[in-house]
Amino acid sequence: MKLALVSDALDPTSGWGRYAGELARELIAAGIDLRLISPRLLARLADLRDYPDHAEIPSFQHGRRHPLRVLQRTLPPLLRALRGVDVIHCMVEPYAPGVALAAGRRPYLVSLVGTYSIPSGRPWMERWLLRWALRRARGLPAISGYTRRRVESDAGVRQTSVVPLAVRAEDFRRTDPPPREPGLVVSVGECKPRKGFDLALEAFARLNSEGIARRYVIVGPASPSSPYVNRLRTRIRELGLDRFVTLTGVVSEDELVDWYYRARVVTMPYRLAGSDFDGFGLVLLEANACGTPVVSARDSGAEEPVVHDENGLLVPPNDVSALTAALRTVLTDPGCWQALAAGGRRRADAMTWRRSAQQLLDVYAQSLGRRLDARV
């Protein structure tokens, strides 16, 4: 049986691109008869861009995102690209309605990656099309148990499973890493309300006044036109923390890894912001690969990579006092820090892309009633 993976740009700097790209690599390595369908020229993973059986479709992120416009742009190339394919796996939800139409009677699956999986809160046509596509799918692998529960509740679907994100821990190991910076608290990601950086800022302010936390660094895009970024900067000034808080903006992969190593703790106090949520929290696993303990929130995608008291601490969402207490523990208790650092390395070593790919093959077998055979 020939499998098609449909994705937007195969770009390791995005959650979608990393998930689709790494699983595609593992399926190819396993000998699965695979066709990639994506905006090929935008792929930043060279081995996949040059993969021989790679068909081109336009990126849904270019041009108007109205669902009918996306369908109009993507359906004709999808119909051509899916010729000779037996099973289709749509890795990014905005393509799901087009895949559902192009599939005809063929089975298809749709990955549930996060916010884009939730029909509610969208314009009525987009909401209807996404719910229709999800309900017709043979299988719905989610990146976390939290994402799975959210989509089941919102879309009324039950053919779900979990195939988590993973990490190549060896990519984060350094023979001569930068030294740890005492009292350094780091968060990673684009400045958005669902990341909870404002909660981390309030917790840092309390710990800074106690002389425990010395610096807070937010690593990632911070658009000057973002109302959330402007609120953060205003609050930093109000707290008198200009000398202690840094928003780095975009950094290179090497710089990001350096921040993971320099941090005493990485905190991501995720929260539900309207219908927006973080489906997994990959930065927590990346920090663990660098031996850095993490603090995050329950009732979020972080419950997938983080096992409380093993590789990090989990606190109730939107609870600054609980977040402050957890950060205080990690920053002041050497025994706790060492245990979480060691547990983090073990967790990162265990959550591999090969493991996730095997789970995905099991989902295919359960959804299709047979296993996909490797090419001979």
Side-chain angles (χ1 to χ4, degrees):
M1 296 180 74
K2 191 174 191 68
L3 169 69
L5 287 188
V6 182
S7 177
D8 198 60
L10 298 169
D11 179 353
T13 64
S14 73
W16 272 327
R18 178 74 60 87
Y19 189 59
E22 295 291 359
L23 287 175
R25 283 172 162 171
E26 293 295 339
L27 292 174
I28 292 168
I32 300 301
D33 190 2
L34 180 68
R35 175 173 298 163
L36 291 176
I37 303 175
S38 82
R40 183 172 187 168
L41 296 180
L42 298 180
R44 293 180 60 182
L45 298 170
D47 56 323
L48 297 182
R49 183 181 62 241
D50 300 333
Y51 180 67
D53 196 354
H54 194 158
E56 178 86 19
I57 57 170
S59 171
F60 74 85
Q61 299 188 65
H62 292 183
R64 291 185 61 189
R65 293 198 189 184
H66 187 281
L68 288 183
R69 294 289 188 185
V70 173
L71 272 177
Q72 185 180 37
R73 293 197 306 270
T74 60
L75 186 55
L78 267 175
L79 288 167
R80 291 191 296 270
L82 290 174
R83 290 171 185 162
V85 166
D86 302 297
V87 185
I88 306 122
H89 185 169
C90 178
M91 304 293 288
V92 290
E93 301 93 332
Y95 285 137
V99 166
L101 286 170
R105 295 181 178 275
R106 290 171 292 185
Y108 70 90
L109 298 88
V110 180
S111 283
L112 309 176
V113 183
T115 294
Y116 276 91
S117 306
I118 303 296
S120 293
R122 305 192 179 284
W124 73 268
M125 184 175 293
E126 185 177 355
R127 181 173 65 248
W128 186 90
L129 283 170
L130 179 57
R131 186 172 281 123
W132 170 77
L134 294 180
R135 288 177 175 175
R136 289 188 71 243
R138 189 71 66 87
L140 298 169
I143 62 172
S144 68
Y146 176 77
T147 300
R148 178 185 189 176
R149 294 190 298 273
R150 290 291 315 280
V151 178
E152 285 181 343
S153 174
D154 188 87
V157 293
R158 289 294 177 268
Q159 68 277 33
T160 58
S161 56
V162 175
V163 177
L165 290 169
V167 68
R168 293 188 186 275
E170 63 274 16
D171 291 347
F172 292 86
R173 300 287 156 78
R174 296 288 186 270
T175 56
D176 187 24
R180 298 284 176 187
E181 184 177 321
L184 174 60
V185 180
V186 169
S187 296
V188 177
E190 185 175 357
C191 286
K192 297 178 179 180
R194 71 179 191 234
K195 305 290 185 182
F197 296 157
D198 55 304
L199 303 173
L201 175 63
E202 298 296 332
F204 170 79
R206 298 181 187 184
L207 295 171
N208 181 260
S209 68
E210 299 172 18
I212 294 172
R214 302 181 186 180
R215 200 151 71 105
Y216 178 43
V217 177
I218 300 174
V219 182
S223 171
S225 63
S226 163
Y228 181 67
V229 171
N230 291 329
R231 289 198 300 271
L232 275 178
R233 293 191 184 280
T234 297
R235 186 58 177 154
I236 291 167
R237 289 193 297 271
E238 290 173 349
L239 292 167
L241 294 175
D242 301 73
R243 293 187 299 116
F244 304 102
V245 180
T246 302
L247 278 64
T248 67
V250 177
V251 300
S252 69
E253 285 294 305
D254 284 341
E255 289 172 314
L256 172 59
V257 175
D258 281 349
W259 281 115
Y260 282 140
Y261 274 105
R262 292 168 66 181
R264 193 69 181 171
V265 61
V266 167
T267 185
M268 299 296 296
Y270 297 121
R271 59 140 76 95
L272 187 63
S275 61
D276 288 352
F277 65 95
D278 262 78
F280 186 87
L282 184 58
V283 299
L284 301 168
L285 209 53
E286 293 176 346
N288 279 167
C290 300
T292 305
V294 297
V295 174
S296 194
R298 298 187 185 277
D299 298 322
S300 77
E303 292 176 321
E304 201 69 35
V306 180
V307 179
H308 183 67
D309 273 341
E310 181 177 310
N311 61 317
L313 301 179
L314 294 171
V315 301
N318 294 303
D319 190 332
V320 173
S321 294
L323 179 62
T324 304
L327 290 171
R328 183 185 292 112
T329 297
V330 177
L331 290 170
T332 61
D333 185 336
C336 174
W337 192 94
Q338 291 287 352
L340 294 178
R345 290 191 181 95
R346 289 193 298 270
R347 185 69 171 162
D349 286 339
M351 295 193 71
T352 66
W353 286 110
R354 180 163 297 179
R355 171 179 174 267
S356 291
Q358 185 55 59
Q359 290 174 301
L360 182 57
L361 288 171
D362 292 341
V363 169
Y364 291 156
Q366 183 177 6
S367 301
L368 304 173
R370 58 166 292 183
R371 298 197 72 84
L372 294 182
D373 297 323
R375 286 180 289 189
V376 178

